[in-house]
Amino acid sequence: MNLTLKIWRQKDANDKGKIVDYPVSGISPDMSFLEMLDVLNQELIEKQEEPIAFDHDCREGICGTCSLYINGRAHGPSTKITACQLHMRSFNDGDTIYIEPWRAKAFPVVKDLIVDRSSFDRVQQAGGFISVNTSGNTQDANAIPIEKDNADRAFDAATCIGCGACVASCKNSSAMLFVSAKVSQFALLPQGQVEATDRVLNMVKQMDEEGFGNCTNTGACEVECPKGISLENIARMNREYLAASFKG
Ligand code: SF4
Ligand code: FES
């Protein structure tokens, strides 16, 4: 396949940035999207040009680092996959492909296609955990009966990989889908009840302080989420928040 790539280049956080054209040829339809970028980078290095900076780690849909906005969609044209799981057979020979970083105030661009998502870490640190006594008398988690439906919903919420596609695809740059998944995975389990009030209040407070926007129920986040995190988590977080506000 021969393609024209239009890639966002930005030297650092202060640079204005611009789209630069890169023709690539000899791309196999069986290559992953990131392998295609590897081919381009190899060519750039051989020409002694600066390679394109992009985030990646696991390359199998687990770590959530491959944050690419491809042809105007978070993680590209396919649904329920990350950019690293996207293959070049999803494109046609001769295509022009636009590749940009996530765009949100709370995700400032570090370089080219890499954004700083430490705002997500700070939201998680504000309450996305449970305190467990690990001094040797920890209760076996399997000894606590949990209703199957709740266990399944908690597990579904826990599949959020923190990629940020929900923020990038939201017209308000809202992080509600991410935060609600992190709140829900504990709210549905007995182990999460001890800190439930503080958790939701602190995580929502941190979310607002980081500069994420409000949710206006558009639903783009759910459509673009590679893990299929449901909007029902946002409804659950709103209920948790209301109840915690009365208590707190
Ligand atoms: S909710 Fe989905 S889109 Fe948002 S961070 Fe989690 S996995 Fe990514
Ligand atoms: S590189 Fe880990 S999810 Fe894409």
Side-chain angles (χ1 to χ4, degrees), residues 120 159-166 177-178 181 221 224-227 229:
F120 265 15
T159 61
C160 165
I161 55 174
C163 64
C166 46
L177 196 65
F178 164 75
C221 54
E224 300 294 9
C225 172
K227 298 297 162 183
I229 301 294

Side-chain angles (χ1 to χ4, degrees), residues 29-128:
D30 296 328
M31 278 181 189
S32 75
F33 198 83
L34 299 193
E35 283 168 342
M36 182 274 295
L37 288 179
D38 291 338
V39 169
L40 170 61
N41 271 349
Q42 188 61 38
E43 286 173 10
L44 291 176
I45 290 165
E46 282 165 15
K47 286 195 276 184
Q48 301 203 328
E49 288 180 30
E50 182 83 9
I52 318 272
F54 62 96
D55 249 341
H56 59 98
D57 188 3
C58 71
R59 296 200 176 204
E60 52 186 8
I62 297 169
C63 71
T65 56
C66 55
S67 45
L68 297 179
Y69 218 69
I70 302 165
N71 281 349
R73 291 189 64 182
H75 293 301
S78 305
T79 54
K80 301 234 174 95
I81 60 167
T82 52
C84 61
Q85 294 172 297
L86 179 65
H87 282 81
M88 295 315 295
R89 54 182 165 270
S90 298
F91 300 90
N92 299 313
D93 185 31
D95 273 0
T96 296
I97 305 175
Y98 283 81
I99 311 170
E100 297 172 79
W102 284 174
R103 304 222 185 253
K105 184 177 154 202
F107 290 160
V109 172
V110 176
K111 183 175 182 175
D112 295 341
L113 303 171
I114 296 179
V115 298
D116 177 358
R117 278 171 299 175
S118 57
S119 50
F120 265 15
D121 296 337
R122 291 186 290 274
V123 171
Q124 185 73 356
Q125 285 158 8

